[in-house]
């Protein structure tokens, strides 16, 4: 069982906070699609072509900048090379790109999950984020998903923006909930180096909100979604029961995945470990179709590497990790020092321990990254 991720590296404009790999050169879309199809075909005799593909995720960038014909060519090539028996096929889209006809066309291609980049319905916040859409386009896109009877969708929200009040966030959540999403990804705004936002913060032109304010936003999102039966299952992800994202959850479980397109990552299990590689973030090289040169770095992960990564990713989920599973899958056992640390954090209310599970409490999830690093460093 495996998944495929496809990175479509084009956007209309650069959002102020974004550090994904993308370009705004629309004239390269067509040559990119040609190259992508060749990259897919280059996997014909790779062991990946023998795997059963259960999930496909088309992300970016902005996949909805591709038209139906281009997407059809990509899906045809995938079906040609891989053994696809997909439970979940997700495509990321932006509100300003979609129409009911486009959404119907996606369903004909087998896409059964839409990921809509809403982020906010507040005009001032959308301007601050330098998003290409306005609030009415976000509402229309969600309405279109309903009209097109799309099987499932998720929407992204960003909270913890400079100057964003709890009332503003409350209104954003209410507006989103009025479209009955079965899944929501809610992220706190992060300041990344090299982004427009990063530069503004560095120059002192923008102050980011205090941790306490971000924590209040975090709680409000959880409380309001929970009231509608949409439960947190990972730090930034919420779903109605049974609607958790399969593809992303499989990353946490180290299911094999193949990344196609510039900047995409892959993981493939081999004896006693796994091999991880990524494609370079270089469109020129990508368009040259020199696939050997495209691979950036290939790393071999041994079972300890994989176990520590599983700790990091698993503890960000509400399910947590199971020491029994850590032992059977990776041969990994917690040290005395780690066990002592866990008991200390349990007393402080950050960690929940039961028979065979270690989980972060609601309080612990707010500082998940800090706690996880602390735990790993106790080894
Ligand atoms: S649309 Fe998405 S990928 Fe493109 S710049 Fe904005 S956040 Fe980044």
């Amino acid at each position: 069982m495996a998944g495929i991720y496809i990175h479509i590296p084009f956007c209309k404009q650069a959002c102020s906070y974004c550090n994904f790999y993308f370009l705004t050169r629309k004239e390269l879309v067509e040559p990119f699609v040609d190259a992508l199809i060749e990259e897919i075909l280059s996997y014909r005799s790779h062991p990946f072509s023998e795997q059963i593909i259960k999930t496909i995720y088309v992300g970016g960038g902005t996949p909805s900048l591709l038209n139906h014909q281009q997407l059809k060519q990509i899906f045809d090539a995938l079906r040609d090379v891989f053994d696809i028996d997909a439970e979940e096929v997700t495509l990321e889209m932006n509100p300003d790109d979609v129409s009911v006809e486009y959404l119907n066309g996606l369903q004909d291609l087998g896409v059964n999950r839409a990921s809509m980049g809403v982020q906010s319905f507040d005009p001032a916040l959308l301007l601050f984020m330098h998003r290409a859409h306005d609030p009415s386009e976000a509402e229309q896109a969600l309405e279109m998903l309903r009209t097109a009877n799309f099987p499932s969708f998720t929407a992204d929200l960003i909270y913890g923006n400079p100057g964003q009040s709890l009332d503003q966030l409350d209104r954003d959540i209410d507006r989103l909930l009025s479209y009955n999403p079965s899944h929501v990804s809610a992220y706190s705004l992060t300041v990344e180096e090299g982004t427009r936002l990063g530069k503004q913060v560095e120059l002192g032109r923008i102050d980011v909100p205090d941790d306490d304010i971000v924590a209040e936003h975090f709680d409000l999102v959880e409380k309001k979604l929970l009231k509608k039966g949409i439960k947190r299952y990972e730090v930034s992800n919420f779903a109605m029961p049974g609607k958790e994202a399969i593809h992303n959850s499989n990353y946490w479980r180290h299911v094999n995945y193949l990344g196609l397109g510039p900047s995409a990552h892959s993981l493939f299990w081999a004896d006693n470990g796994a091999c991880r590689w990524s494609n370079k973030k270089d469109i020129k090289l990508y368009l040259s179709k020199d696939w050997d040169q495209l691979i950036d770095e290939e790393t071999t992960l041994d079972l300890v590497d994989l176990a520590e990564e599983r700790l990091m990713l698993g503890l960000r989920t509400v399910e947590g990790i199971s020491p029994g599973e850590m032992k059977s899958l990776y041969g990994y056992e917690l040290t005395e020092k780690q066990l002592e640390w866990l008991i200390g954090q349990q007393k402080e209310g950050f960690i929940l321990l039961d028979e065979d599970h270690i989980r972060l409490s609601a309080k612990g999830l707010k500082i998940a990254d800090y706690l996880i690093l602390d735990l790993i460093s106790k080894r």
Side-chain angles (χ1 to χ4, degrees), residues 126-337:
L126 288 173
L127 269 181
F128 161 76
M129 294 179 201
H130 203 237
R131 295 288 304 180
H133 68 274
D134 63 25
S136 64
E137 285 171 318
E139 302 235 24
Q140 281 159 20
L142 293 169
E143 193 56 55
M144 285 176 205
L145 284 170
R146 190 146 55 191
T147 311
N149 222 352
F150 221 84
S152 178
F153 80 94
T154 176
D156 292 346
L157 269 189
I158 298 184
Y159 60 86
N161 292 286
Q164 184 181 18
S165 66
L166 275 178
D167 275 354
Q168 267 176 308
L169 178 61
D170 195 79
R171 281 195 295 274
D172 265 354
I173 303 169
D174 278 342
R175 276 170 97 170
L176 179 57
L177 287 177
S178 70
Y179 294 95
N180 297 321
S182 54
H183 188 286
V184 174
S185 294
Y187 304 98
S188 95
L189 184 75
T190 41
V191 181
E192 305 280 0
E193 235 180 272
T195 60
R196 181 202 286 228
L197 177 67
K199 279 186 205 120
Q200 285 170 323
V201 171
E202 206 181 293
L203 293 170
R205 292 191 190 138
I206 285 181
D207 288 329
V208 289
D210 291 347
D211 290 351
D212 291 351
I213 295 179
V214 177
E216 282 181 49
H217 284 202
F218 182 97
D219 287 340
L220 183 67
V221 171
E222 173 152 49
K223 192 176 101 195
K224 291 195 67 102
L225 295 185
L226 192 57
K227 249 185 170 173
K228 284 274 191 172
I230 307 170
K231 290 187 190 154
R232 185 189 300 279
Y233 67 97
E234 196 260 354
V235 173
S236 312
N237 288 292
F238 301 80
M240 289 193 167
K243 288 291 186 177
E244 296 83 2
I246 307 171
H247 184 86
N248 288 345
S249 305
N250 283 346
Y251 287 142
W252 311 327
R253 301 193 176 104
H254 285 139
V255 171
N256 287 334
Y257 57 87
L258 175 65
L260 299 158
S263 83
H265 287 68
S266 306
L267 178 111
F268 198 73
W269 275 84
D271 296 338
N272 279 325
C275 181
R276 170 169 291 143
W277 67 96
S278 61
N279 285 352
K280 287 184 186 142
K281 298 174 177 178
D282 184 339
I283 191 74
K284 209 169 148 204
L285 180 61
Y286 195 78
L287 297 182
S288 77
K289 303 174 185 173
D290 185 344
W291 308 124
D292 290 336
Q293 285 296 315
L294 185 72
I295 304 288
D296 195 2
E297 37 186 88
E298 211 169 299
T299 328
T300 306
L301 302 169
D302 62 21
L303 289 177
V304 176
D305 298 328
L306 288 165
E308 289 187 344
E309 193 174 85
R310 175 72 175 255
L311 268 183
M312 278 197 254
L313 300 173
L315 283 175
R316 289 175 60 88
T317 67
V318 167
E319 191 188 324
I321 55 149
S322 143
E325 204 177 47
M326 294 291 291
K327 192 171 173 205
S328 64
L329 281 178
Y330 310 102
Y332 185 93
E333 286 186 83
L334 293 162
T335 62
E336 278 302 314
K337 248 168 118 185

Side-chain angles (χ1 to χ4, degrees), residues 5-25:
Y5 171 78
I6 300 183
H7 190 81
I8 308 290
F10 297 100
C11 293
K12 280 188 189 155
Q13 60 190 51
C15 300
S16 60
Y17 53 86
C18 179
N19 74 341
F20 292 132
Y21 178 67
F22 67 90
L23 310 127
T24 50
R25 297 178 56 193

